[in-house]
Amino acid sequence: MIAEPRLVEVRKNVLKKNDICARTLRDRFQAAGVLVISLVSSPGSGKTAFLEKTLTCLRKDYRVAALVGDLATENDALRLARSQAPVKQITTGTLCHLEAAMVETALGDWDLSQLDFLFIENVGNLVCPSSYDLGEAVRLVLISVTEGEDKPLKYPTIFNSADVAVITKIDLAKAVEFDWTAAAASIQAVRPGMEVFKVSAKSGEGMEDFTKFVSARLTQMRAVPAV
Amino acid sequence: MIAEPRLVEVRKNVLKKNDICARTLRDRFQAAGVLVISLVSSPGSGKTAFLEKTLTCLRKDYRVAALVGDLATENDALRLARSQAPVKQITTGTLCHLEAAMVETALGDWDLSQLDFLFIENVGNLVCPSSYDLGEAVRLVLISVTEGEDKPLKYPTIFNSADVAVITKIDLAKAVEFDWTAAAASIQAVRPGMEVFKVSAKSGEGMEDFTKFVSARLTQMRAVPAV
């Protein structure tokens, strides 16, 4: 993002195009009855480890799949493939976020009606992904206990654009002297009432609460008939 | 950054303007005999803790100051002020990186000839800051042991645009089972021969090696007469 008047204009056009594409995707997801959940965070907040654990947990009872964005490498897709769920990597080159059109292209000929959950892991970036709707039903913002408690105050837009916060790597909370009260206050200051999950992909702590939450959201979505 | 032809053209113009401004800054820094060091990393990699420790260490023998960029809050400037060094916060709003003109504005009427070191802490972002020259002499890219060993492979551009890598939070290396060999291989794959420092702002481990390095760079810079 660059603060030049002409750029702002161009960016608005790109966003408009993205919004149209995202709306089409959202309708398609709704019609197929698949709950789409995206993940945003800094690089290294543990998106992939958390997603691998989530896919492994949910796979027992649901049909799950994932798309994963990165500037370079297919490392994350390879890691996620260990969960046995279908996974596709989106390599963005120098682009610092995913856009709806990339999701559409990556989906290819996947039959979405054969899925219960589709996860979309964004490029590691706490700024730019906030502006791009991917058609997801739920956007998760992840922060790890190793990052510091004031991240929501410093990156308010991404917290405002997300539906749910996930605090990761809680097994390290003691080692880094994580201040839970300060973290909760930061989140609530930026997004009052935001639901927060506390998880460790390593120990599995908190994963059950999270999977229960997404299962309930799936049931809720399917109870509302597609328009 | 958005992959649209028109945008690319606009972005080139912005970069050109930034490059001109950065060149002017670089000449000014060189003439004043101040070594300018910038820091880039993900949010939460420990830039501010590392910088606070660096300022505190260097302040004993040198005149140091810092500029610190963030989307919102003055938290980092307040933290850095504990080092007793002069610090100014640059608040970027929704902009995900610093630009040379912001540095120029923030410098205001500071007499640079009264400084030995000026540090510039960029917005937490491993993507966009790579494209913006700030006139710095040395660009540091920081990764914490909690982020994973493959970050250089996933964010090659920022490692290519940096001069030196700093691995932070090494006091947590055991707790997160950090693989030093894999990390070194990732860095060298992207930037062969890159110098790497390993530090803990908490324990102080590795700080002496780092401050010796920057002191040597200052001596070296001043040995070359300004053109």
Side-chain angles (χ1 to χ4, degrees), chain B residues 130 136-137 216:
Chain B
S130 63
E136 69 270 63

Side-chain angles (χ1 to χ4, degrees), chain A residues 51-70:
Chain A
L51 185 49
E52 185 183 349
K53 195 79 180 174
T54 302
L55 293 175
T56 307
C57 294
L58 288 175
R59 247 194 103 248
K60 294 167 201 154
D61 303 304
Y62 296 100
R63 299 161 301 171
V64 295
L67 302 177
V68 50
D70 263 309

Side-chain angles (χ1 to χ4, degrees), chain A residues 140-156:
Chain A
L140 310 176
V141 59
L142 283 72
I143 39 164
S144 71
V145 297
T146 61
E147 286 171 60
E149 298 82 0
D150 64 350
K151 286 292 160 295
L153 300 174
K154 286 183 174 177
Y155 300 87

